[in-house]
Amino acid sequence: MIKAVLLDMYGVIVRQTGDDFVPYVQKTFPALRAHEINTPWFKADAGEISSLDVWRILGYTGDLEAVERTYLETLELMEGVKEFLQAVHGPYKTAIISNDSSRWSRYVRRKFDLDRHFDAVSISGDLKIRKPDERIFRLTLEKLGVPAGECLYVDDRAGNLHAAGKLGMQTVQFGSAGAFDGARVGSFAELEAWMAGNQRLTAR
């Protein structure tokens, strides 16, 4: 029986409005290629550098905290996520598992007042472990005190879902970011309906 619901952050809880990070940066530095932008970004996700270092490496100058804040303010919550969290947190244990820099994650979680809805928060920049490395999933399970077989994991990326599934979690893809051969939903209303119709799910 499922006793915990684990959610990815970007593409599930939070959406990026209009611009993803790469095209956002390329509006200022059009000569930069995607891999040149992603390389420092992924290092920040892994806790190797700070998010402010990312902006500096990419060529931004001046007040880098303001530069970062301008970007992060473009983010919005997915429609229905607050209602979903209010419904499931309590009946189920809940967790975030996110590939993100420590600074970005703290800012976004404060911006949307997210932490109060979760029993555990696992951020790659804090742990220095990026999904789909199974260690970040195992650490989250330890925090929750729930075995993998009693967890539902929701992510938009198929690779992360496959990693969670190998550990024994039940998995659902949110949206269609990549080919996935399991369950898929397009909204939190659909996720709630899927949970309600799944006989393996039970409130704690």
Side-chain angles (χ1 to χ4, degrees):
M1 297 295 184
I2 299 300
K3 297 181 179 178
V5 180
L6 290 64
L7 302 177
D8 173 46
M9 178 73 85
Y10 298 100
V12 179
I13 297 172
V14 171
R15 66 180 176 185
Q16 293 161 305
T17 56
D19 291 307
D20 201 326
F21 186 61
V22 169
Y24 182 88
V25 172
Q26 287 175 332
K27 289 202 299 187
T28 302
F29 300 103
L32 286 179
R33 298 181 180 181
H35 77 274
E36 293 174 305
I37 297 170
N38 284 330
T39 296
W41 185 15
F42 292 163
K43 286 184 177 180
D45 282 354
E48 297 174 14
I49 61 176
S50 79
S51 59
L52 295 183
D53 291 329
V54 174
W55 300 107
R56 188 177 297 108
I57 291 168
L58 293 176
Y60 289 86
T61 58
D63 186 346
L64 296 181
E65 290 190 0
V67 170
E68 181 168 88
R69 187 165 54 250
T70 298
Y71 169 69
L72 293 175
E73 284 300 315
T74 69
L75 306 179
E76 293 182 354
L77 285 178
M78 284 289 188
E79 183 178 354
V81 66
K82 279 293 183 76
E83 294 81 1
F84 175 81
L85 292 173
Q86 290 167 358
V88 300
H89 185 219
Y92 300 93
K93 289 189 175 182
T94 54
I96 293 173
I97 307 180
S98 176
N99 283 347
D100 201 2
S101 75
S102 297
R103 280 179 54 90
W104 286 18
S105 179
R106 284 195 302 270
Y107 186 96
V108 172
R109 283 162 27 225
R110 283 197 301 266
K111 171 181 168 67
F112 296 119
D113 190 24
L114 291 174
D115 283 352
R116 65 189 179 93
H117 296 289
F118 292 93
D119 300 294
V121 175
S122 295
I123 306 303
S124 63
D126 296 336
L127 299 171
K128 296 180 171 53
I129 306 169
R130 294 183 77 250
K131 295 181 294 184
D133 190 320
E134 70 175 36
R135 292 176 297 165
I136 197 167
F137 295 101
R138 292 189 184 277
L139 286 170
T140 308
L141 297 177
E142 291 176 11
K143 293 178 186 178
L144 292 174
V146 179
E150 296 180 355
C151 292
L152 169 66
Y153 180 62
V154 183
D155 200 308
D156 59 323
R157 298 188 179 276
N160 298 332
L161 292 164
H162 287 307
K166 287 180 181 178
L167 293 178
M169 296 186 201
Q170 197 164 177
T171 56
V172 172
Q173 185 178 38
F174 196 98
S176 56
F180 182 63
D181 55 6
R184 179 182 291 133
V185 298
S187 68
F188 279 98
E190 289 182 15
L191 180 58
E192 280 196 80
W194 185 90
M195 290 174 65
N198 191 302
Q199 297 302 308
R200 288 181 59 196
L201 290 165
T202 183
R204 65 178 174 182

